[in-house]
Amino acid sequence: MTNPDRHPGRRAALTTLLAALSAVSSGCAGGNTPDTAHPNQAQTEEKNMTQRVLIAMTSHDKKGATGESTGAYLPEIAHPYVEFTKAGIAVDFASTRGGRVPLEGLDKVEPASAPFLDGGALAGRLHDSTPADRVDPSRYAAVFFAGGHGTMWDFPENEAFARVAASIYERGGVVGAVCHGPAALVNVRLSSGQYLVAGKAVSAFTNEEERAVKLDAVVPFLLQDRLVERGALFQPAAPWQKQVVVAERLVTGQNPASAAGVAEAMVRLLPPEAR
């Protein structure tokens, strides 16, 4: 190779080339170049992706001995999902047994519900739900228990979901439930041994509403009565009216009309880094 020291022009060109290569190397290592996202923006996006809410659902598909189908009530999944994602919070799905979730309240025309019924990616995620006993509560800032009459049979005795709710709440997270979803809360105890709902104002599907749909003699218990037995301060509204009750970091709603409102209240309770 020719000695560049004997050719000043070549030496200058080589110096320029080395400087350019050094600049490119610096850019590939994370320097600001026109095609590189601002570091703060990248960190914010990554942080938002790690903030998650778990939507927990029933796997039970029959109304007692009637043989009638039931399951999770889709609008009570779909409307909270919209509110959580609108706030920039990621959502995961879990059910008592995992896998496909039995659904009721199906309406392909209803905008929030339609994406769960079109066979697309969102429907696929819903029906690939995580089994309750495989949920890691440390991943979630909040858990939301969707309703549907199926919850009355499998939520109360599901120890895995009870542990998830207690763990999230005692870490400073938010627990929400709507309609029959609070069936998941009736046996949740905190580390003190006290029921989560004891001494707290709550709402849920009322005795009056259960009688109105003629299922008061079908469900294994009346949810309003069981919550009161656990020490909850039950706050009913008129049948089918929106009712959202916030007690510390517990948010409950009375019926399907309350589903979006429960999610909205949960979002407000989450710390800024979770939004």
Side-chain angles (χ1 to χ4, degrees):
M1 179 177 179
T2 304
N3 187 348
D5 291 336
R6 297 177 57 187
H7 301 276
R10 292 180 181 177
R11 185 170 64 248
L14 180 60
T15 300
T16 301
L17 176 61
L18 291 173
L21 290 172
S22 176
V24 170
S25 175
S26 174
C28 291
N32 278 331
T33 67
D35 294 329
T36 302
H38 191 282
N40 290 340
Q41 178 184 347
Q43 291 169 9
T44 298
E45 290 173 354
E46 181 178 349
K47 190 172 186 180
N48 283 343
M49 288 177 66
T50 64
Q51 302 300 325
R52 315 189 78 81
V53 170
L54 182 72
I55 293 183
M57 301 164 291
T58 181
S59 295
H60 188 85
D61 64 357
K62 289 291 185 290
K63 294 177 182 174
T66 67
E68 296 177 6
S69 62
T70 186
Y73 195 70
L74 181 57
E76 295 172 11
I77 300 166
H79 288 276
Y81 176 84
V82 168
E83 296 303 323
F84 293 137
T85 55
K86 185 169 64 177
I89 300 168
V91 174
D92 289 337
F93 300 104
S95 60
T96 52
R97 291 199 300 264
R100 190 167 191 84
V101 177
L103 297 173
E104 56 182 340
L106 308 184
D107 184 354
K108 291 184 178 181
V109 178
E110 204 275 315
S113 296
F116 290 92
L117 299 171
D118 65 4
L122 189 55
R125 287 181 55 214
L126 175 70
H127 291 302
D128 190 28
S129 63
T130 301
D133 60 5
R134 289 177 51 195
V135 171
D136 177 3
S138 68
R139 298 186 64 222
Y140 299 99
V143 58
F144 171 81
F145 292 98
H149 270 91
T151 65
M152 296 292 288
W153 280 269
D154 63 356
F155 268 8
E157 305 306 324
N158 191 275
E159 295 180 358
F161 273 156
R163 286 194 298 270
V164 168
S167 175
I168 289 174
Y169 190 83
E170 293 196 310
R171 282 192 298 103
V174 180
V175 174
V178 71
C179 199
H180 289 91
L185 308 179
V186 298
N187 290 322
V188 176
R189 291 183 185 268
L190 303 177
S191 56
S192 64
Q194 184 179 39
Y195 286 112
L196 170 62
V197 299
K200 294 185 178 70
V202 302
S203 186
F205 204 65
T206 66
N207 292 351
E208 187 176 2
E209 287 169 322
E210 203 70 84
R211 294 185 185 104
V213 297
K214 296 180 170 53
L215 290 173
D216 53 304
V218 174
V219 291
F221 59 90
L222 292 176
L223 184 52
Q224 176 179 339
D225 289 351
R226 185 63 56 87
L227 289 165
V228 171
E229 290 171 7
R230 298 301 193 239
L233 309 174
F234 198 84
Q235 296 190 358
W240 320 119
Q241 298 303 304
K242 176 181 176 180
Q243 172 79 325
V244 175
V245 177
V246 179
E248 297 176 3
R249 285 170 288 103
L250 176 65
V251 186
T252 49
Q254 180 169 319
N255 46 38
S258 313
V262 170
E264 290 169 355
M266 291 175 68
V267 169
R268 289 193 294 269
L269 288 173
L270 290 170
E273 62 268 22
R275 302 182 197 172

